[in-house]
Amino acid sequence: MLTKRIIPCLDIKDGRTVKGVNFVGLRDAGDPVELAKRYAAEGADELVFLDISATEEKRKTLAELVLKVAEHVNIPFTVGGGISSVEDVDILLQNGADKVSINSSAVKNPQLINDLVAKFGSQCNTVAIDAKQVDGEWIVHLVGGKIPTEYNLFDWAKEVEKRGAGEILFTSMNNDGTKNGFANDALSKLSEELTIPIIASGGAGKIEHFTETFLKGKSDAALAASVFHFKEIEIIDLKKQLEREGIPVRI
């Protein structure tokens, strides 16, 4: 079994790390560069940096801030937010990102996935999917969860894989920030229907939730924000518990 990954997420707005509940009610969580340094030192497997208002504000991801973060970390670093072209990705990779995450732009222009894979390879290309369960169906949403689409989560995920994406970052809008656990039923279905890795996002509140998403949700990685930012869970404690549960992790 491949090692399971623990990934802190830095949601960035106005140059600061923020965190909300169900994608709203944002509060300040600290300086992204300092948090990135801390997580690299504490044993995080990767980092994800999402400029959460870039698409809504129709501007590019903060490349200079990406460079500052990259200078202080020695673990894989994924950047997303406002990416809509091959040129955007080129700039971010030159500034130190290892991978990029596209979301709204992929739905609006699915060919972008193919173009990025052709230029940079699948391993560099993560597609993030924000979905909300509405009347029993998982509906893909865009622009930080503000705009519902006609896409079903599972149909869109299959298309993303078919177009060559290297992994999927699935955030359950229903679970986000609630600390009640990940959307493991949906995650398990994604893992069964796809062959590429699935990153679970939305709902981490305690160590048991990570165990559950790896065992029940069949997730390949688990992403969380506030529980790490505010030291409610220490990464080393989390990994030691996962190891005790027989879940392979890098310590």
Side-chain angles (χ1 to χ4, degrees), residues 30-77:
D31 175 71
V33 176
E34 293 304 314
L35 283 171
K37 287 165 61 176
R38 193 184 101 200
Y39 292 138
E42 290 178 353
D45 296 297
E46 298 183 16
L47 285 175
V48 168
F49 172 120
L50 298 176
D51 189 344
I52 61 172
S53 58
T55 298
E56 183 181 11
E57 295 170 6
K58 295 182 173 57
R59 59 174 172 75
K60 302 304 182 186
T61 305
L62 303 175
E64 291 180 7
L65 185 54
V66 170
L67 179 61
K68 288 179 183 177
V69 171
E71 287 173 342
H72 291 92
V73 300
N74 57 356
I75 55 178
F77 177 37

Side-chain angles (χ1 to χ4, degrees), residues 199-215:
I199 303 172
S201 171
K206 52 187 179 180
I207 287 177
E208 290 87 341
H209 293 153
F210 290 86
T211 303
E212 290 167 1
T213 202
F214 290 135
L215 295 179

Side-chain angles (χ1 to χ4, degrees), residues 1 22 42 48 52 75 84 90 99 116 120 127 130 136 141 151 153 167 169 178 182 202 217 245:
M1 186 185 296
N22 303 131
E42 290 178 353
V48 168
I52 61 172
I75 55 178
S84 59
D90 214 15
K99 297 188 277 187
L116 294 181
F120 305 107
V127 173
D130 299 333
H141 283 60
Y151 276 103
L153 164 64
E167 62 184 358
L169 167 55
T178 64
F182 295 95
E245 299 273 357

Side-chain angles (χ1 to χ4, degrees), residues 30-235:
D31 175 71
V33 176
E34 293 304 314
L35 283 171
K37 287 165 61 176
R38 193 184 101 200
Y39 292 138
E42 290 178 353
D45 296 297
E46 298 183 16
L47 285 175
V48 168
F49 172 120
L50 298 176
D51 189 344
I52 61 172
S53 58
T55 298
E56 183 181 11
E57 295 170 6
K58 295 182 173 57
R59 59 174 172 75
K60 302 304 182 186
T61 305
L62 303 175
E64 291 180 7
L65 185 54
V66 170
L67 179 61
K68 288 179 183 177
V69 171
E71 287 173 342
H72 291 92
V73 300
N74 57 356
I75 55 178
F77 177 37
T78 300
V79 178
I83 297 169
S84 59
S85 69
V86 169
E87 291 73 26
D88 292 342
V89 174
D90 214 15
I91 291 169
L92 293 172
L93 296 179
Q94 288 180 29
N95 278 270
D98 297 289
K99 297 188 277 187
V100 295
S101 172
I102 57 175
N103 189 333
S104 297
S105 59
V107 176
K108 294 173 182 176
N109 175 23
Q111 179 62 33
L112 178 62
I113 303 172
N114 303 67
D115 294 344
L116 294 181
V117 170
K119 178 73 183 288
F120 305 107
S122 291
Q123 79 288 343
C124 184
N125 190 9
T126 300
V127 173
I129 304 177
D130 299 333
K132 184 176 185 179
Q133 197 169 29
V134 181
D135 297 328
E137 183 177 2
W138 285 96
I139 303 299
V140 176
H141 283 60
L142 305 184
V143 192
K146 293 178 174 64
I147 300 176
T149 72
E150 296 180 355
Y151 276 103
N152 166 280
L153 164 64
F154 305 103
D155 293 339
W156 174 232
K158 288 175 188 174
E159 181 171 346
V160 163
E161 178 179 52
K162 187 176 179 180
R163 288 178 177 275
E167 62 184 358
I168 285 174
L169 167 55
F170 163 52
T171 299
S172 164
M173 293 173 60
N174 304 76
N175 298 57
D176 178 69
T178 64
K179 299 186 180 179
N180 292 325
F182 295 95
N184 291 318
D185 289 345
L187 286 158
S188 177
K189 185 175 179 181
L190 283 170
S191 294
E192 289 169 2
E193 295 188 358
L194 305 177
T195 60
I196 57 176
I198 308 296
I199 303 172
S201 171
K206 52 187 179 180
I207 287 177
E208 290 87 341
H209 293 153
F210 290 86
T211 303
E212 290 167 1
T213 202
F214 290 135
L215 295 179
K216 297 178 183 176
K218 302 177 185 176
S219 303
D220 298 282
L223 177 147
S226 60
V227 291
F228 296 143
H229 298 340
F230 303 117
K231 290 185 171 288
E232 295 162 33
I233 296 176
E234 297 284 355
I235 292 174

